Amino acid sequence: MVLRPPGDMIMVAITQITIAGKSFIGGTMEITVRSNMTTVSCIEYDANNELKLKVKQCIVTLISCKTNLPSSMLPKIVNKFLNSTLQKVLPGMMCPAAEKVVLHMEEKMKKAFEQCPIGERGTMQYTMNGLPVIREDALDMKFKPVVRDSDGNEIEKVCEAPGAEGSSPRADGITQVIIPTSVLNTVLKLFKNDMDCDATDDSVSDITVGKMKEMIPGLPDMDPSKKVKLEIRSVEPAKVRIEDGKSIMAVHSTIEVKTDPDNGPVCTIDMDLNELSR
């Protein structure tokens, strides 16, 4: 996937198809076609205000066409005719596959915006605040968390996620999600009656180095008034193991606590998550 500002994503796929059938001289004839399919897509909202991937352009270029018959049996003029015919029919054959891939990606994307239960106390759902911004090295998606109680009432004062300004550089292939710490405030309100303490508006929001040192002893001496941010990164690709009708997904991540906005290191937390699904 290649990002092309201001709004396009380019995907290149090399495909190879082998067609087999009865030869006109007897026996089996095989035609192996190798092609390059390039699609240009964009992200937009549909009539239901949901994110949609749209294929704007699909170009299929023939790379090679080979048969299992001796070259002497296929004159050059036949080869030329075969190549020109394939060049005409390949887009009609291959481009619908690109639409299928985009639809599959849409279905996966929709799952990220479904309501997720927070125990029995309520739900959290992420919504988009505007269309994603496509830059040369990243796709910036600004989320707005929506937290509801068990009766379905939205809890106010959930601030929108900040932009990517001031974030540390990403390595190739790294996805970065920025979430406001004030979301923790709202989630704590759901459990206010379960805890022997008061969950106030300033209990978690605007976390500072001083508050971190109260929670985690032994942190380095730094300006206690400095605000901090949490950066969660995947250490390695997620691993999925399937056995006995169940699947287990293992994710190894790190949580880097840094001062905001100068990215000074405070501490790093290793996190291993194993999720079981049946």
Side-chain angles (χ1 to χ4, degrees), residues 59-85:
I59 302 172
V60 181
T61 305
L62 179 65
I63 298 176
S64 63
C65 174
K66 297 179 180 180
T67 71
N68 63 335
L69 297 179
S71 57
S72 59
M73 298 188 66
L74 286 176
K76 288 184 178 180
I77 190 171
V78 175
N79 275 326
K80 188 175 181 181
F81 171 76
L82 188 60
N83 287 349
S84 63
T85 301

Side-chain angles (χ1 to χ4, degrees), residues 19-21 78 88 90 107-108 135-136 161 165 177 192 197-198 223 239 243 245 250 252 275-276:
I19 305 169
V78 175
K88 292 177 182 177
L90 277 175
E107 290 301 316
K108 293 291 184 182
R135 298 188 286 111
E136 290 184 357
E165 297 82 5
V177 180
K192 186 173 182 178
C197 65
D198 290 329
D223 181 356
K239 296 179 180 177
E243 56 182 36
H252 182 198
E275 183 176 339
L276 174 64

Side-chain angles (χ1 to χ4, degrees), residues 60-258:
V60 181
T61 305
L62 179 65
I63 298 176
S64 63
C65 174
K66 297 179 180 180
T67 71
N68 63 335
L69 297 179
S71 57
S72 59
M73 298 188 66
L74 286 176
K76 288 184 178 180
I77 190 171
V78 175
N79 275 326
K80 188 175 181 181
F81 171 76
L82 188 60
N83 287 349
S84 63
T85 301
L86 286 170
Q87 190 64 65
K88 292 177 182 177
V89 302
L90 277 175
M93 292 172 56
M94 303 302 300
C95 288
E99 297 281 357
K100 293 287 187 182
V101 172
V102 166
L103 287 174
H104 180 69
M105 292 172 65
E106 275 186 19
E107 290 301 316
K108 293 291 184 182
M109 190 166 58
K110 285 180 181 178
K111 291 185 178 296
F113 297 99
E114 293 179 350
Q115 281 192 354
C116 298
I118 304 176
E120 297 179 353
R121 298 295 179 267
T123 61
M124 178 181 286
Q125 182 178 18
Y126 287 102
T127 59
M128 288 294 300
N129 182 17
L131 284 173
V133 177
I134 294 178
R135 298 188 286 111
E136 290 184 357
D137 60 343
L139 178 66
D140 286 343
M141 304 176 72
K142 192 172 183 181
F143 294 99
K144 180 182 179 182
V146 177
V147 180
R148 295 182 176 88
D149 61 23
S150 56
D151 295 325
N153 301 313
E154 182 178 344
I155 297 179
E156 300 295 333
K157 295 185 178 179
V158 180
C159 76
E160 298 172 356
E165 297 82 5
S167 61
S168 56
R170 290 165 291 266
D172 289 343
I174 293 294
T175 298
Q176 177 172 264
V177 180
I178 302 174
I179 303 172
T181 55
S182 60
V183 167
L184 300 178
N185 267 7
T186 312
V187 174
L188 282 176
K189 287 183 180 180
L190 294 178
F191 294 90
K192 186 173 182 178
N193 295 331
D194 300 281
M195 298 184 293
D196 188 19
C197 65
D198 290 329
T200 60
D201 286 343
D202 60 352
S203 59
V204 178
S205 287
D206 299 328
I207 298 179
T208 62
V209 171
K211 289 183 179 180
M212 287 293 301
K213 294 190 73 170
E214 291 176 7
M215 294 186 288
I216 307 175
L219 292 181
D221 291 331
M222 303 179 73
D223 181 356
S225 64
K226 276 194 172 183
K227 295 181 180 180
V228 301
K229 61 183 177 183
L230 310 180
E231 290 189 357
I232 304 175
R233 295 180 180 272
S234 296
V235 176
E236 56 188 23
K239 296 179 180 177
V240 179
R241 187 172 74 253
I242 301 175
E243 56 182 36
D244 300 330
K246 61 184 179 183
S247 61
I248 302 172
M249 182 175 69
V251 180
H252 182 198
S253 306
T254 62
I255 302 176
E256 294 183 357
V257 182
K258 297 182 176 182

